[in-house]
């Protein structure tokens, strides 16, 4: 009696196992990418709100003599240097996503690469904010670039996993674009308010010289316009389940963000509330991107 053993292929190498795991967990890694980019916005806010913007007074070194913070720089040096170190964490996650997405040709791989390249570019822009002694316009550009990174991460997630759908009707797509543009106008005006307010990141850094109360009211009007545009998008897209769902989420974030904004204005900008407001801004950027991509056709 002859016995036959089942044929087995070659044992996968350690490299193949790692790559297989990365490919299988691309969505989870992309979620981590989004969280990391939102997190760096929040930690950047901590740096500014604690007056640690020049905790490391130069760049790329922390001081002229050292790449790392030392005792003489105090807690501000620790906070600012810690934020610099987090950039490496964000970069590591972004590179891992690129590796995981490498076998996915087209938009997914291209977006992963763009996000990964965006991390060092953001680090360089962060360096310029230090070298400019926290020039409020450079700081604003740095923050808005982070918001753009958040939006790209959301787009990547939508490409990886979202419901299959046809493109939304033209009027819904136009409304989503208007909402996106007004939302970004609101985000930009938020940086203008910040640039004219008290939380500069360092006692010696200059402000824009604009009236913070006036800029706060102008920013508020932009937020009202954003909420109105979001409501129009929600009404026009009410028959589209996915568009309706993501637009409702954005609207809730906007209302919460507006409430925080008014409370912080009426209470003279307490640090904790300003920090939550920065988190809300990052979430609005994510929500704007999600609404915009939800109106595009997608094959699940």
């Amino acid at each position: 009696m002859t016995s036959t053993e089942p044929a087995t292929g070659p044992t996968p190498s350690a490299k193949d196992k790692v790559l297989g795991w990365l490919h299988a967990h691309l969505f989870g890694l992309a979620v981590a990418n989004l969280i990391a980019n939102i997190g760096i916005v929040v930690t950047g806010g901590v740096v500014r709100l604690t007056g640690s913007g020049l905790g490391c007074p130069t760049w790329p070194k922390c001081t002229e003599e050292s790449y790392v913070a030392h005792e003489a720089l105090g807690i501000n040096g620790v906070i600012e240097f810690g934020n610099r170190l987090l950039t490496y964490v964000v970069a590591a996650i972004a590179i891992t996503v690129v590796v995981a997405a490498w076998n996915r040709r087209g938009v997914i791989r291209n977006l992963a690469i763009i996000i990964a390249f965006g991390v060092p570019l953001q680090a360089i822009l962060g360096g310029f904010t230090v070298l400019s002694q926290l020039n409020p316009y450079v700081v604003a550009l740095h923050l808005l670039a982070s918001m753009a990174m958040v939006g790209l991460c959301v787009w990547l997630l939508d490409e990886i996993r979202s419901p299959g759908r046809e493109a939304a009707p033209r009027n819904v797509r136009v409304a989503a674009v208007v909402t996106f543009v007004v939302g970004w106008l609101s985000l930009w005006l938020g940086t203008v308010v910040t640039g004219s307010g008290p939380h500069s990141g360092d006692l010696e850094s200059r402000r824009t010289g604009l009236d913070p109360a006036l800029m706060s009211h102008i920013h508020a009007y932009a937020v009202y316009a954003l909420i109105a545009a979001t409501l129009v998008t929600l009404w026009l897209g009410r028959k589209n389940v996915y568009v309706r769902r993501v637009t409702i989420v954005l609207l809730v974030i906007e209302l919460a963000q507006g409430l925080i904004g008014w409370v912080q204005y009426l209470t003279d900008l307490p640090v904790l509330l300003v920090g939550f407001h920065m988190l809300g801004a990052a979430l609005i950027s994510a929500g704007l991107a999600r609404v915009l991509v939800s109106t595009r056709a997608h094959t699940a």
Side-chain angles (χ1 to χ4, degrees), residues 47-68:
V47 170
R48 181 167 60 82
L49 295 171
T50 57
S52 305
L54 295 177
C56 284
T58 189
W59 186 88
K61 292 183 176 182
C62 184
T63 66
E64 293 295 342
E65 299 80 23
S66 174
Y67 279 98
V68 299

Side-chain angles (χ1 to χ4, degrees), residues 160-227:
I160 295 171
R161 184 186 300 174
S162 67
R165 58 190 183 271
E166 296 180 354
R170 186 175 182 276
N171 60 345
V172 180
R173 298 199 306 272
V174 170
V177 170
V178 171
T179 300
F180 185 83
V181 172
V182 175
W184 267 86
L185 174 63
S186 176
L187 290 173
W188 171 67
L189 286 171
T191 68
V192 176
V193 174
T194 299
S196 62
H199 298 301
S200 61
D202 187 85
L203 293 176
E204 302 300 324
S205 62
R206 70 182 181 89
R207 306 280 73 205
T208 61
L210 299 171
D211 182 352
L214 174 62
M215 296 314 304
S216 294
H217 285 294
I218 293 174
H219 174 52
Y221 290 133
V223 173
Y224 299 149
L226 172 59
I227 293 174

Side-chain angles (χ1 to χ4, degrees), residues 17-96:
K17 288 180 180 178
V18 171
L19 289 176
W21 187 91
L22 291 175
H23 296 329
H25 292 83
L26 174 59
F27 181 77
L29 292 168
V31 171
N33 212 13
L34 173 62
I35 293 172
N37 278 279
I38 291 176
I40 205 74
V41 171
V42 176
T43 58
V46 171
V47 170
R48 181 167 60 82
L49 295 171
T50 57
S52 305
L54 295 177
C56 284
T58 189
W59 186 88
K61 292 183 176 182
C62 184
T63 66
E64 293 295 342
E65 299 80 23
S66 174
Y67 279 98
V68 299
H70 49 73
E71 187 176 346
L73 296 174
I75 187 63
N76 289 341
V78 173
I79 292 172
E80 209 281 335
F81 183 69
N83 189 60
R84 292 188 185 191
L85 289 180
L86 284 175
T87 301
Y88 293 100
V89 177
V90 178
I93 295 173
I95 292 170
T96 303

Side-chain angles (χ1 to χ4, degrees), residues 6-14 16-17:
T8 58
T11 302
S13 66
D16 290 335
K17 288 180 180 178

